Amino acid sequence: MKHSPQGKGSVSVWYRTQFSGWMIATGIVVAAAMLAVAVLTQRYPVAGLPMLLAPASILATGAVKVTVSPRGVTVASFFFPFLRKRIPLDHIRQASARWTKPSELGGWGYRWKPGTRAVSLRQGDALWLALTNGKQFVITVDDAGTAAELINGRVPADRGSR
């Protein structure tokens, strides 16, 4: 956790970068194969380029940077930083950390399940955010407990009990 000097107006910010080695390797291999198809296709060389969307989507969620700040939680793609999910602090009811498997979240990558959204890169420590709209957002990231403590320290106590 990064700390600014303690005192009036001090701010704590926590961030981690999480990588999924197999997702990154798969994205690179598939991208290379698709580029080869595009280059080697004599008749329609541009036809193979739209197929690069598949490896791009794998790479987009294969590595993420997670930040907890006074404004809330941000999850951004490491390779495509313009792809990000921001959750303002006033949308978070409570945060917790627990061991999580991708099968609980519906698999790897950016996942959608009824009532739950997740960025799942691996089995392990995960930050679970209970949102004020009754839904959950989950991020598998190392040191999720520290992030949860920081968030809960900023969330009003009466909001956490609802």
Side-chain angles (χ1 to χ4, degrees):
M1 180 174 1
K2 285 267 195 188
H3 290 283
S4 62
Q6 294 299 320
K8 188 175 181 180
S10 68
V11 176
S12 294
V13 175
W14 175 96
Y15 60 90
R16 293 287 181 276
T17 302
Q18 191 70 51
F19 295 93
S20 172
W22 75 267
M23 288 177 76
I24 294 169
T26 300
I28 291 170
V29 168
V30 173
M34 295 303 156
L35 281 172
V37 167
V39 168
L40 296 175
T41 303
Q42 301 272 332
R43 196 166 197 185
Y44 304 104
V46 181
L49 292 178
M51 292 188 290
L52 289 174
L53 290 175
S57 66
I58 295 169
L59 288 172
T61 57
V64 295
K65 181 177 180 183
V66 183
T67 306
V68 175
S69 72
R71 295 186 303 177
V73 178
T74 302
V75 182
S77 170
F78 183 81
F79 296 111
F80 307 104
F82 58 89
L83 297 175
R84 69 184 66 222
K85 170 73 174 170
R86 289 188 182 144
I87 304 169
L89 200 57
D90 62 350
H91 291 188
I92 301 171
R93 186 173 45 83
Q94 186 178 23
S96 61
R98 72 172 206 224
W99 187 266
T100 304
K101 294 180 181 181
S103 59
E104 291 177 67
L105 305 172
W108 290 266
Y110 191 85
R111 311 310 302 170
W112 295 268
K113 283 177 55 174
T116 303
R117 302 293 182 263
V119 177
S120 175
L121 300 182
R122 51 132 176 97
Q123 170 177 284
D125 207 10
L127 176 63
W128 286 73
L129 302 174
L131 307 178
T132 56
N133 64 5
K135 297 181 180 182
Q136 294 183 7
F137 194 85
V138 182
I139 310 156
T140 57
V141 63
D142 291 335
D143 194 28
T146 302
E149 286 179 30
L150 188 57
I151 293 165
N152 288 332
R154 292 182 173 145
V155 172
D158 63 333
R159 193 182 321 156
S161 61
R162 279 189 238 163

